[in-house]
Every structure is written in structure tokens, then in C-alpha cells.
Amino acid sequence: MEPPPFAPTGTPRLGMGCWAIGGPFWSGDKPFGWGSVDDTESTAAVRRALDLGVTLFDTADVYGAGHSERVLGKALAGRRDEVLIATKWGNVFDEATRQIVGRDITPGYVRRALEASLRRLGTDYVDLYQLHIGQVGPHQAEDLTGVLEELVTEGGIRSYGWSTDDASLPPALAGPHFTAVQHEVNVLRDAPRMLALTAREGWTSVCRGPLAMGLLSPKYTSGSRLNSDDVRGDEPEWLAYFHDGRPDPHWLERRDAVRDVLTSGGRTLVQGALGWLWARGSQCLPIPGFRTAAQVEENAGALAHGALTAAQLRDLAGILGRAPLSPGPAA
């Protein structure tokens, strides 16, 4: 029997995160996109990922106020049966002004949000539909399970999940077709409690921020400055790696401390960071972001190197002052 989509045994080990290709959007005067993008370049990057065997793309209706879904849908036209598409709902936005205008986590809104996403994506179903509001009361989450199961039965979605960093919350939404939690985890900020939960429950950990918002690349130095239309240039309170539009010195220091281990064996820094996630367990599915085909190629190149070794995990834990780690099950 074919495993359900996004069960760890049936899911690709690498996806591509489509937040950046949505372009600018805001909440008031606060930027929530990654700056301007070239849709032609974004389309070429998506298609290059497909050529390299990457078949999972994670987006959200709010990215670019619908623009990421539109770009992704056009890029995948004619190849829908080759890919898994994950998207999210919960934020309400105005496509014309590219403004986030509120939130809606009522059961009635789920259907309206899904219908709009399907139109933008140019498909009649999504493989993983994720609640995009990280903090929702357990009773509110339980109220959503019924409509999500109905959408599975009707064929509009194949499975569903939750984008949250709170490991106490996902069980409240976990009906029969709940298969994934999207959460932040990377070599600089581990998430042992969430990884233990997903391993125990047989869910996929869709690893958000696997490159620490780009900090786990050699591109950023103490002299780097982000543009004002970039979420990292005027960071919200939850964004840890950048401050006042610059890389945070604390996180730069930690990145530089692990550089030698991550780049061993011919890996780039990016590829080592992805290898660390695969070493944490077979449920780990990193979704690094991208803007260009070159970034996609570097991300996909990590697959040839695979997971870090147990010795490398121990070395990194020692450098970062953590308890020793061993590779996860079937890593």
C-alpha cells in the first residue's frame, strides 16, 4: 500500500520553501516578504528543482499575498502529477494592497481559503494543508479537525498539518489524516521536544528555517545590511538571527564556530546544515528557501552528501554546548 503523503516513509527528504518567491507583502508598515523578486527567475528555479528530482514545494496563501501560489502554479503547469504541494491558511490578506489584514481560524473559513488557494495554484487538490497560525487554543484546533477530514474525503486535500513551534499543540488537531508539523529547527536552534513528538507519532517534521533565515550560508557577515522591504531588514519580534537589519553577532559567532564541521567532506555550509537535519531523524524534511536556480542547485546538492555522521553530531553538540546527540532512527 502506498504510504500517505507526508508520512516519513513516503515523503521526499528535501523540499523547496516558496516564501521568498512571493515577493513583498506587509502587515501595516512591517515587511513580511523577502524583497523584490523576478517571476521569470523564480519559475526557472522551480523547474530546475524538478529537473534535479526535488518534488516537494511548500508555500502559503499569504506569501506575497497570494503571489507565491500563483507563481508556483504557473511553474508547475503540466507537471502537477510529478509533485507534492503543501500550502497553508489562517492569515487574511488583501491581494491588491499586499497587506495582511487579520486572521481567521474558524471552520467556515477553511473552505473559502482552500478554494482560493486551489485557484491560484491551478490545481484541484493540495497534498498537505497546514494551519498557519502558531498559537491556537486546543478547543479551537479540535473544531477544525472535522472540516479538514471532510476536505480529505471530498478530495480537496490529501492530508493536513500545523505550522507551530509549540510541541504541546499538534495533538489537538491530529485527526486520522494529520501527517506533519512544520516547525523551526536548524543546527543553531535545535527542537528536541518537537522532534521527539514527531518521531513518536510517525509524523513528518517539515523543517522550517533550516538555514536560519539565510544565516547558515557564507553570504552574510558583520557588515551585511538587509533592505527595508525584507522581513529580516525590519525584523518582527520572533525573528532571532537578524537585528536592526544586520546579522546578529551572537548567531554569526555560533555559525562560524560550526563552519569547519559542516563543511567537511566537500560540503558547502548550506549542505552541511541540511545534512545535520537529516542526521536528526528520518522524519526530518528540510524546506530551504530559494530565489535562483543556483540556490536550488546548491540545496539539492546536499542529497549527494547525505546525513552527517554520529561523530559529527557529537562534535557539533560539544561546540554549541549541548547534550550529545546521536543520529535519529533510520537517519
Side-chain angles (χ1 to χ4, degrees), residues 18-19 58-64 66 68-69 86-89 117 132:
C18 300
W19 184 3
D58 177 86
T59 186
D61 57 2
V62 76
Y63 294 164
S68 176
E69 288 185 330
T87 193
K88 312 177 193 75
W89 95 96
S117 285
H132 203 186

Side-chain angles (χ1 to χ4, degrees), residues 83-159:
V83 302
L84 296 172
I85 295 176
T87 193
K88 312 177 193 75
W89 95 96
N91 291 286
V92 181
F93 53 91
D94 184 323
E95 288 197 51
T97 63
R98 292 198 172 208
Q99 282 281 341
I100 302 172
V101 297
R103 298 177 174 185
D104 194 333
I105 55 170
T106 61
Y109 181 69
V110 179
R111 287 182 176 277
R112 298 197 301 276
L114 177 62
E115 289 168 3
S117 285
L118 294 177
R119 286 195 301 271
R120 287 187 291 263
L121 287 163
T123 185
D124 55 4
Y125 71 97
V126 295
D127 298 280
L128 176 66
Y129 201 40
Q130 301 157 97
L131 176 58
H132 203 186
I133 306 300
Q135 292 293 323
V136 172
H139 294 302
Q140 292 172 298
E142 289 167 2
D143 288 344
L144 294 168
T145 304
V147 68
L148 289 164
E149 288 293 332
E150 288 174 5
L151 289 171
V152 172
T153 301
E154 295 164 11
I157 64 176
R158 295 182 67 199
S159 66

Side-chain angles (χ1 to χ4, degrees), residues 288-317:
F290 67 94
R291 291 173 184 267
T292 67
Q295 291 172 326
V296 165
E297 289 167 357
E298 182 177 16
N299 294 340
L303 291 165
H305 294 283
L308 298 187
T309 65
Q312 288 170 322
L313 282 188
R314 288 193 296 270
D315 289 345
L316 290 166

Side-chain angles (χ1 to χ4, degrees), residues 159-171:
S159 66
Y160 56 93
W162 195 342
S163 180
T164 180
D165 294 324
D166 187 337
S168 70
L169 293 178

Side-chain angles (χ1 to χ4, degrees), residues 248-259:
D248 186 287
H250 167 75
W251 294 106
L252 276 179
E253 181 180 351
R254 290 175 77 77
R255 180 202 66 184
D256 292 342
V258 300
R259 183 192 300 265

